[in-house]
Amino acid sequence: MQGNTLVKLVIAAIVLFVLWKEVLPRLTKSEISKPAEGTSAGTNCVFEARQASEYWGGTLAHFANPPYDMAAWDDFKSKVDAHISRAADKCSCEQDACKLGKQAVDELRGLAGEMDSAIRNGGSPPSDAVQRQERIDNAINDASAAADRNKG
């Protein structure tokens, strides 16, 4: 029983950490930006990759603990897949920003797929989910920097 309680506390700590690092900053944003007309392919890629990641991270907390509302999960997963597909389409160019954005989108696709499998099969979420989300965010930030370098 002691081990079971410890596992629950660790999972709760991880969920709280993700909420603190990922969700809270997104909730405090005053408005969502949109890319300007005539922006570069790299900038559009970064925008769509960031939107996909923010939608994923901002909504995932609703599914932190079982039992899961599978209809809500299906709807969420469908929207995540649509965001990922849109980002993948925008990140198909040969600019460095697109290549880095594609890495982020591919990592997000893998993480979302593993989480989907865990929820559907009653398994545990990926143990490295927080680190993977950080890699996704870092790749998007690197892509943004590359897009900025191409502007000037």
Side-chain angles (χ1 to χ4, degrees):
M1 189 69 176
Q2 292 288 341
N4 193 18
T5 303
L6 181 60
V7 169
K8 288 180 182 177
L9 286 173
V10 169
I11 291 173
I14 291 171
V15 168
L16 287 173
F17 179 77
V18 169
L19 289 173
W20 174 57
K21 293 297 281 182
E22 299 297 326
V23 177
L24 185 60
R26 292 181 182 137
L27 290 177
T28 59
K29 273 184 149 177
S30 60
E31 66 182 71
I32 297 175
S33 62
K34 293 189 177 185
E37 293 291 323
T39 57
S40 73
T43 301
N44 287 331
C45 165
V46 169
F47 175 79
E48 293 297 341
R50 192 175 311 277
Q51 290 294 344
S53 179
E54 288 179 355
Y55 181 75
W56 165 258
T59 310
L60 185 62
H62 296 280
F63 304 99
N65 297 310
Y68 303 111
D69 177 346
M70 292 310 293
W73 173 258
D74 288 339
D75 182 57
F76 168 65
K77 181 65 169 66
S78 174
K79 289 177 181 175
V80 166
D81 289 342
H83 278 281
I84 290 172
S85 292
R86 194 167 39 252
D89 287 345
K90 296 290 183 178
C91 293
S92 61
C93 74
E94 291 300 316
Q95 295 177 9
D96 288 342
C98 291
K99 292 175 185 176
L100 291 165
K102 184 176 181 336
Q103 288 176 2
V105 170
D106 289 345
E107 181 78 24
L108 179 58
R109 180 180 286 117
L111 180 58
E114 287 180 39
M115 185 66 82
D116 182 54
S117 178
I119 286 178
R120 291 183 189 284
N121 299 320
S124 298
S127 61
D128 63 345
V130 173
Q131 293 85 358
R132 289 171 72 181
Q133 184 63 52
E134 187 173 350
R135 282 196 308 265
I136 291 164
D137 293 340
N138 288 338
I140 292 170
N141 290 339
D142 292 345
S144 180
D148 288 345
R149 284 191 302 271
N150 285 339
K151 286 181 185 175

